[in-house]
Amino acid sequence: MADQNRRKQLASLLAAFQSPGHALPIPELAEYLRLLRDLRIRDSDNVVTYGGHNLQQLAAALPEEELWLVYEQVAIAALDSRAMALATSLIQKVRKKFPKSSRTHRLTSMYLEACGETAKLSEFHKQILEDDENNEAILKRQVAVEKSKGSVSSAIELLRKYLDTYMLDKAAWEELGALYLQASLYQQAAHCYEELLLHMPSSIAYYVQYADIMYTIGGTHAAGHRADVIANDYRTAQSYYAAAVRMSEGHNIRALYGLCATTSQLSGLKGRNAQSKDAADVADLAAQTLIRRYQEECESLLPHVKELIQDHNLSAASASQSSLATLPAASTSKKSLAISPAPQTTALVRK
């Protein structure tokens, strides 16, 4: 919710900047740039337009430490926007102030990439890594370069090596998970989110993403695996969707849809793999909550939501809120995570 509020504040500030005749107060501009950094949003064109054209005023208003962060932010935005003169002047400022720092190495690498100087870029990375083989900024830049070339497999390999050294880097695990998903390597992606859940067991977003991956694995297993394997995948997804619903107090729409979808998939299984009545009640509660939310917030879409719920053979009749407690709790301990990576998956992630 905190990120959502900050995104709303960001949108409000940008709307004010873009309104006709609006003067640009420097404190508001500084806050806008700060929010972009905190939320890890580039918004390069607007950063160049508003930040790049007001650097002198920002320099007079900001403390020195924050000013250098702004210089770096505007330099990266200028590279994205091909404002090369602005980028060059700012990178030179940073290089003069911090000649051998990681931020200088990172900006130089980005500049060479933006200029298309492939040979110089490769040589630059090689020189830095000869002096410091575990240089975090350059190792990350190598991954970014491979991604920009469309070489997903090379980016995965480099990021795996990076995580052998920097295994607590949550952003790197997120990136590796996204790359595995891009390559349709779902078991490996699931392992990445298991690691992330160990680092941040209170992250609703990680619960939902892990559940999405397990749901997808269930679908990929449907053609060639036993019913109990498929049921285990869907039940794992179901328990993590339920955990996300509990943690968000019913406000996470994606998790609510996920509960409906997993129940629909499990409803076709028979015998010991069949859907339990408690789990069906939970899905009915999710359907009921979805209908109420759309009635309150987006009534125009309500007929489509009702049709979707009907297609999944769910009931929007009243269900007990306590039904959520009857599903197995999603675990975030390494030993008892609902699915453990298969041996070949672990080997791929940590070779």
Side-chain angles (χ1 to χ4, degrees):
M1 290 296 288
D3 278 0
Q4 192 174 27
N5 290 336
R6 287 192 291 180
R7 287 177 185 274
K8 287 181 180 177
Q9 185 183 358
L10 192 64
S12 176
L13 285 169
L14 183 58
F17 296 165
Q18 293 173 337
S19 62
H22 176 77
L24 189 60
I26 295 304
E28 289 185 13
L29 175 57
E31 179 63 16
Y32 169 74
L33 296 172
R34 202 175 295 124
L35 286 167
L36 288 176
R37 293 195 300 273
D38 290 345
L39 293 167
R40 292 180 5 191
I41 297 172
R42 295 271 266 260
D43 196 18
S44 298
D45 289 342
N46 285 320
V47 169
V48 169
T49 298
Y50 301 112
H53 294 161
N54 292 278
L55 284 174
Q56 285 187 338
Q57 295 91 322
L58 287 166
L62 295 177
E64 184 178 10
E65 184 177 350
E66 185 175 0
L67 179 62
W68 288 109
L69 292 175
V70 168
Y71 282 161
E72 184 179 1
Q73 182 180 12
V74 176
I76 292 170
L79 290 172
D80 289 344
S81 302
R82 308 301 298 171
M84 301 306 287
L86 175 60
T88 301
S89 67
L90 289 171
I91 292 171
Q92 285 174 348
K93 279 179 184 284
V94 174
R95 185 183 292 129
K96 185 177 179 180
K97 179 70 174 179
F98 310 102
K100 294 185 178 180
S101 70
S102 60
R103 67 172 58 174
T104 296
H105 292 156
R106 176 170 173 252
L107 288 172
T108 302
S109 174
M110 295 178 78
Y111 177 79
L112 292 171
E113 183 187 2
C115 293
E117 300 279 4
T118 308
K120 287 183 180 179
L121 178 62
S122 179
E123 184 60 28
F124 175 70
H125 287 169
K126 183 180 175 183
Q127 287 175 358
I128 299 299
L129 293 174
E130 281 177 358
D131 295 333
D132 177 11
E133 65 179 0
N134 293 323
N135 187 292
E136 185 176 358
I138 295 303
L139 291 173
K140 283 185 172 182
R141 282 298 306 146
Q142 286 184 316
V143 174
V145 170
E146 292 304 316
K147 274 185 62 183
S148 70
K149 293 193 298 189
S151 181
V152 174
S153 58
S154 295
I156 286 173
E157 181 67 26
L158 288 168
L159 199 46
R160 278 175 20 210
K161 289 179 179 177
Y162 170 85
L163 282 165
D164 283 340
T165 303
Y166 298 101
M167 60 185 66
L168 297 180
D169 189 332
K170 294 190 291 294
W173 281 112
E174 285 184 18
E175 185 65 39
L176 184 58
L179 288 170
Y180 278 138
L181 289 175
Q182 191 175 339
S184 300
L185 297 170
Y186 300 114
Q187 291 280 5
Q188 291 89 329
H191 173 73
C192 294
Y193 277 89
E194 289 170 2
E195 292 286 347
L196 286 164
L197 281 165
L198 291 175
H199 292 308
M200 291 189 66
S202 61
S203 171
I204 296 171
Y206 290 161
Y207 274 82
V208 174
Q209 183 66 65
Y210 184 69
D212 285 348
I213 294 169
M214 293 312 304
Y215 182 90
T216 303
I217 290 173
T220 60
H221 281 170
H225 287 71
R226 301 191 316 268
D228 58 335
V229 175
I230 299 167
N232 184 61
D233 294 333
Y234 284 131
R235 284 208 179 91
T236 299
Q238 188 180 57
S239 67
Y240 279 80
Y241 283 132
V245 171
R246 277 194 296 265
M247 294 164 69
S248 68
E249 298 181 345
H251 285 87
N252 192 293
I253 296 294
R254 191 177 185 89
L256 292 167
Y257 275 123
L259 274 176
C260 295
T262 50
T263 301
S264 177
Q265 294 294 342
L266 287 165
S267 64
L269 300 177
K270 311 246 184 251
R272 64 192 180 93
N273 296 312
Q275 177 76 290
S276 70
K277 183 179 183 308
D278 286 338
D281 286 346
V282 169
D284 288 343
L285 174 61
Q288 177 191 351
T289 306
L290 278 170
I291 286 177
R292 188 181 72 249
R293 292 288 304 280
Y294 277 89
Q295 279 176 332
E296 293 171 354
E297 299 174 31
C298 193
E299 196 168 2
S300 62
L301 292 177
L302 186 57
H304 303 290
V305 176
K306 287 183 175 179
E307 183 180 352
L308 180 66
I309 288 170
Q310 198 170 33
D311 288 344
H312 282 79
N313 297 316
L314 298 173
S315 169
S318 179
S320 170
Q321 183 71 39
S322 62
S323 300
L324 273 175
T326 64
L327 279 185
S331 172
T332 56
S333 70
K334 187 69 171 181
K335 202 168 183 181
S336 58
L337 269 168
I339 179 169
S340 299
Q344 64 268 28
T345 302
T346 306
L348 279 167
V349 176
R350 293 224 181 131
K351 207 166 183 179

